[in-house]
Amino acid sequence: MIRIEDASRLLVDQVRDYAMYVLDPSGRVLTWNAGAQRLKGYAESEIIGQHFSVFYLNSDVEAGKPEHGLEGREASRSLRGRGWRVRKDGSLIWADVVITALHNEQYELVGFAKVHAGPHRAPREDGRGAG
């Protein structure tokens, strides 16, 4: 019989349709799964320790969007968001993302889980959803 910890690790490691990774409280990448590599284009050895703002458009970084996504998550637990994200090769991918605050037993913030479903098509220019 498989242990729960082993099953959880297998789930994260082998899911390829979702980027699943953990950030430290400051936004640096701590873990990286096969889906993240496939969707974002970075190998684990290239992205661990990098700030997650590398996935955002320059205009979004200048507007503070990466930090805004982490601010206040301690209380509200999760935030859903959508928007363009930048892959390693500079191409863009439309992201449907959930950021969830991670706490230890003392309810201290220890990081954030990010799940990026993809790939998705961007909304149509007329605003009526995916086109």
Side-chain angles (χ1 to χ4, degrees), residues 5-83:
E5 296 84 8
D6 293 336
S8 296
R9 185 79 247 157
L10 288 172
L11 170 70
V12 171
D13 287 346
Q14 295 182 17
V15 168
R16 298 189 49 82
D17 294 332
Y18 293 86
M20 296 191 289
Y21 51 99
V22 175
L23 306 173
D24 72 11
S26 70
R28 299 216 174 268
V29 178
L30 295 175
T31 68
W32 198 244
N33 79 331
Q37 181 169 338
R38 185 178 75 78
L39 293 172
K40 306 272 191 182
Y42 290 90
E44 182 178 37
S45 61
E46 298 173 305
I47 199 64
I48 297 295
Q50 298 296 313
H51 194 269
F52 82 112
S53 61
V54 300
F55 307 129
Y56 285 76
L57 297 168
N58 288 336
S59 58
D60 288 344
V61 172
E62 291 168 7
K65 286 187 180 181
E67 289 77 18
H68 173 72
L70 300 183
E71 291 172 356
R73 289 308 69 117
E74 300 89 17
S76 62
R77 302 286 292 173
S78 293
L79 171 74
R80 296 184 74 89
R82 291 185 173 158

Side-chain angles (χ1 to χ4, degrees), residues 69-127:
L70 300 183
E71 291 172 356
R73 289 308 69 117
E74 300 89 17
S76 62
R77 302 286 292 173
S78 293
L79 171 74
R80 296 184 74 89
R82 291 185 173 158
W84 290 110
R85 296 296 181 268
V86 181
R87 294 171 39 92
K88 178 186 173 186
D89 66 6
S91 64
L92 301 179
I93 186 170
W94 185 254
D96 183 3
V97 179
V98 177
I99 303 172
T100 302
L102 302 174
H103 299 92
N104 63 16
E105 295 79 20
Q106 292 77 37
Y107 204 72
E108 298 166 325
L109 179 69
V110 295
F112 300 92
K114 286 200 73 175
V115 177
H116 167 175
H120 292 291
R121 294 188 304 191
R124 294 176 3 176
E125 288 186 24
D126 63 11

